[in-house]
Amino acid sequence: MSAVSDLPVRRDAQVVAGAAAVLRANDTGVMVRAAPHLYPHQWSWDAAFVSVGLAHLDPGRACAELDHLFTGQWRTGMLPHIVFDPAETDYFPGPDRWGCAEVTDDAPVAPRTSGICQPPVHALAVERIVALAERRSAAAGARVRAWLPGAYRRLLAWHRYLVRERDPLRTGLLTIHHGWESGMDNSPRWDEPYSRVAVLPDLPPYRRRDTRVVRDAAQRPTRLEYDRYLSGVEELRRAGYDDARIRATGGFLVTDVLASAVFAAASEALAGIARSLGAGEVAELEEHAERFRAGVADSVDAGLGLALDTDLRTGAPLRAETVAGFAPLLCGGLGTATEREMVALLRSERWTGHPGLRHAVLPSTSPASPAFHPRAYWRGPTWPVVDWFVVWMLERRGRADVAGPLRRAVLDELAEGSFAEYHEPFTGEPLGSAAQSWTAAAALDLLLG
Ligand code: 9WN
């Protein structure tokens, strides 16, 4: 092989080695921190993504990562968005601010957790861990298979919690109670509902930590946004994290089309796991998948060509041009013509075909949207974990034709970086946290998958 054609191979090997080193360095022994300084605990959807990265290195460690997350599972079945590391006391908002076990018996006393959840990607991760372990060796496959029944019961409780408490009217769309539950905190998706969330006059004082870690405040949510997030936490805590009460009185109540698409795909994955175990819930899980695929498909706005969230306090669709609008491509359910139009939109100048982009990846918000900001967190930057997830879901649905160019573009982005949390879309500048665990997992899965 010539020296020139050897270059991409060497580049890929370096990225793999770098990604593995990030996961090792962020591993406390029992959990992988979402990021070394900014997020020094275990986050829910991060842990699922990280477990897929770990499965390439050591499938047993991947299972242990999810087991640790499961130790934080609530009696209701909810998987909390953060499981706190007791050794790490400097994070804000930490377990005292959430005060979960203090206000509800549903929360575990140990480990301490937050009181909200995140998109349910976990069954998809487990599906992938099983496949990777089986591919690795018969022994690795057998070990993961032995672990699977316990994980399945945890996942089943989690999925049943979501249908029971987050879609009691069986609409096929999950409701979220806080912007953090979407995993896309300050996305323009939430501008309207948050504009109606009053900052509590008696909001207990606080000192942010994120803006001490990321020194450029423009890359993080604003002070007013943070006041609203913290008011939301306070409101949930005062409601005892009781979902029925929150549905009746919560200030922020929206359907989340991305989480719903994730849930549709994850229900399909969980039905497959149930079938492989001979479990009795296959039909129930397939029905969830079907219901949520339909709910997501029905959310497409003909004008924008994107699926939209809805503000349940006003009934109005939230007309933001964000990456979440491509939710139906993750789970399927569109008619052929509508899917073709959505793929064309994805490739258009409003999205991956925008001439200014450094890499043809999906920015978190369309650069053609008035809400776009190239450095502000979920308002424009590109997130490798999101592009990886889109690639993964498209390939899972047999749409390698759409996934292919995106796969190559995100790999180019990753090769330049420091496993950053997100990137400036026009320059590729790494932003937010460096050595972010899920970015490392994305690199491992894209290169070794
Ligand atoms: C709040 C850990 C998490 C991700 C979220 C991302 C960010 C936290 C924050 O970091 O959220 O939960 O402080 O902004 O928005 O998706 O899971 O990586």
Side-chain angles (χ1 to χ4, degrees), residues 34 39 43 45-46 81-82 91 118 180 183-185 220 226 377-378 383 421 436 438:
Y39 310 117
W43 261 256
W45 74 331
D46 300 57
H81 104 297
I82 304 176
Y91 179 78
Q118 277 187 326
W180 280 340
M184 297 189 174
D185 316 6
R220 293 288 305 172
Y226 228 74
Y377 209 37
W378 290 102
W383 289 67
E421 190 182 7
Q436 179 90 9
W438 66 10

Side-chain angles (χ1 to χ4, degrees), residues 16-35:
V16 166
V22 165
L23 291 188
R24 266 198 304 276
N26 291 348
D27 192 346
T28 68
V30 293
M31 66 160 82
V32 175
R33 301 184 193 289

Side-chain angles (χ1 to χ4, degrees), residues 22 62 96 189 230 269 294 313 354 372 398 423:
V22 165
D96 291 338
R189 299 166 74 188
L230 270 274
R313 286 287 168 250
H354 189 284
F372 173 80
H423 294 254

